[in-house]
Amino acid sequence: MAAPREAPERRPFGRRFLTDPARLFQHNAWDNVEWSEEQEASARSRVQENSSQLLPQDKQEEYEVNAKRYWDDFYKIHENGFFKDRHWLFTEFPELAPSRYPRQNGDSVHEFNNKEESNNEGLGSCENGHCSLETGTENQLNLMKSTPKVCIEEVATQQCSEVNQSDGDYPGSSASYRILEVGCGAGNTVFPILQTNNDPGLFVYCCDFSTTAVDLVQNNAEYDSSRCFAFVHDLCNDQSPFPMPDESLDIVILIFVLSAILPEKMQCIVNRLSRLLKPGGMILLRDYGRYDLAQLRFKKGQCLSDNFYVRGDGTRVYFFTQDELDDLFTTAGLEKIQNLVDRRLQVNRGKQMTMYRVWIQCKYRKPAAPQL
């Protein structure tokens, strides 16, 4: 249950100490926090300041060319220890949980719940510009399954992907409900889905730009090649094939992924992903919103373009508005089911620090095929 909104005194961003220790240890977060005009003005001012000095063009090109290496390095350093398993997924996205309703005609997507529910996630963590929202809950089943690696290197991945799709001969071709997570990282979304959703017709695809990340997924004891297919994929390369045909997916998941891509390439990527959806299929997104704590923490000299920054480790991040995301998805021919801003006040009890987080959550659906 969300705590009363009036409990904390709100000040414009940054660190402060709470005067009431009882409140400090009683509550972790306040949902749907309304910002004052002072807070909005303070946020705009910080963004104007930290974006007043852009990186030179040659440096920007270097970050684009070496993007894969920076993400590989990130996962080599952190492996699966930075982000926690996202067990809040099934509150925010009930479409990923086991079906509660029968499907029509055997190929339509699960019924969806459009109710805006808050999750009970923890405070997450912030390190080197990476601010996560994952809970600390870990549900390790220790299945200890030994599965072969499917493909590790990009060349091998393309070979694996070039299957005879016209004959239905592709990974997961016999499944009745197919999910693709783009930007799977170490599997913090994939494995909770596989653990929670026991639908025998479920098949989960997951891909990442980073070979190291995909390697972590494939070497996880819970990776089951009969239910999951992990592969390396460069979203920005429209010649890089997917292992499944167009109009074969029920769900595409984008969690803090689109924000890592060069803004001018986003529309092409959303267009490609929308073609993979069945009629009635959905894209589920959660990503950074404008004026999130992570954006306000950047210093001068880290801005690449409007609301697009480079972290100290070379990875990049964009901060969206609702309208920007709506334009991307509707231009790709999808219809809006949900597009909301989640403004949250979080309290780090150990450091006695308040943090204002801003995330955007979207659900966009591919229109159903017209009835003949």
Side-chain angles (χ1 to χ4, degrees), residues 183-372:
C184 62
N188 304 109
T189 294
V190 170
F191 293 121
I193 291 174
L194 294 174
Q195 293 164 3
T196 303
N197 192 332
N198 58 2
D199 182 345
L202 173 70
F203 195 87
V204 180
Y205 306 89
C206 58
C207 65
D208 202 282
F209 191 31
S210 167
T211 303
T212 304
V214 173
D215 196 6
L216 288 170
V217 172
Q218 293 178 344
N219 282 289
N220 191 298
E222 297 177 33
Y223 182 73
D224 182 354
S225 60
S226 69
R227 304 181 69 209
C228 182
F229 182 81
F231 59 102
V232 178
H233 188 84
D234 182 359
L235 275 178
C236 296
N237 179 5
D238 57 9
Q239 300 303 310
S240 179
F242 286 103
M244 75 292 289
D246 288 350
E247 297 197 350
S248 62
L249 298 178
D250 295 275
I251 298 289
V252 172
I253 307 170
L254 295 168
I255 298 181
F256 298 101
V257 173
L258 202 57
S259 56
I261 293 166
L262 199 65
E264 49 262 42
K265 295 185 178 182
M266 291 179 183
Q267 186 65 65
C268 180
I269 288 167
V270 173
N271 292 347
R272 289 187 69 206
L273 294 174
S274 69
R275 289 196 292 269
L276 295 175
L277 290 173
K278 298 176 183 178
M282 281 195 290
I283 291 182
L284 310 179
L285 173 141
R286 192 165 175 90
D287 219 320
Y288 293 104
R290 191 69 47 85
Y291 305 147
D292 178 65
L293 168 74
Q295 181 177 18
L296 304 185
R297 283 186 168 182
F298 281 106
K299 307 298 183 184
K300 281 185 180 180
Q302 292 182 276
C303 188
L304 302 168
S305 59
D306 289 347
N307 305 296
F308 191 46
Y309 300 82
V310 62
R311 301 182 179 97
D313 60 8
T315 62
R316 296 167 299 174
V317 59
Y318 187 84
F319 297 87
F320 292 99
T321 65
Q322 289 173 280
D323 287 344
E324 288 172 339
L325 287 167
D326 188 67
D327 286 344
L328 287 172
F329 291 123
T330 55
T331 299
L334 305 180
E335 56 187 20
K336 180 174 70 174
I337 302 300
Q338 181 188 73
N339 184 326
L340 61 88
V341 175
D342 182 1
R343 292 186 177 90
R344 190 163 303 197
L345 168 61
Q346 296 182 332
V347 180
N348 185 318
R349 298 182 297 178
K351 297 181 179 179
Q352 295 190 343
M353 178 181 177
T354 57
M355 301 178 288
Y356 287 89
R357 305 308 311 273
V358 183
W359 303 304
I360 298 182
Q361 182 166 301
C362 296
K363 301 179 184 182
Y364 280 78
R365 181 172 58 191
K366 190 170 189 175
Q371 298 293 325
L372 299 178

Side-chain angles (χ1 to χ4, degrees), residues 50-118:
N50 69 22
S51 60
S52 61
Q53 178 183 335
L54 300 182
L55 266 70
Q57 189 60 37
D58 60 334
K59 289 292 293 181
Q60 295 200 32
E61 292 173 359
E62 178 185 331
Y63 286 119
E64 174 68 9
V65 170
N66 295 315
K68 182 181 184 301
R69 177 170 63 84
Y70 289 124
W71 280 108
D72 274 337
D73 289 345
F74 175 85
Y75 286 108
K76 286 176 183 176
I77 293 170
H78 297 285
E79 295 186 341
N80 58 356
F82 184 79
F83 300 109
K84 301 299 182 183
D85 284 354
R86 294 161 171 162
H87 294 286
W88 50 266
L89 281 168
F90 310 103
T91 299
E92 299 298 338
F93 300 128
E95 299 83 0
L96 303 176
S99 177
R100 299 178 185 176
Y101 305 95
R103 296 178 213 154
Q104 297 177 351
N105 303 323
D107 60 355
S108 62
V109 299
H110 290 190
E111 295 289 335
F112 60 88
N113 178 3
N114 195 31
K115 182 179 178 182
E116 298 176 12
E117 300 179 72
S118 63

Side-chain angles (χ1 to χ4, degrees), residues 177-190:
Y177 196 70
R178 303 184 191 94
I179 295 173
L180 166 65
E181 189 200 5
V182 179
C184 62
N188 304 109
T189 294
V190 170

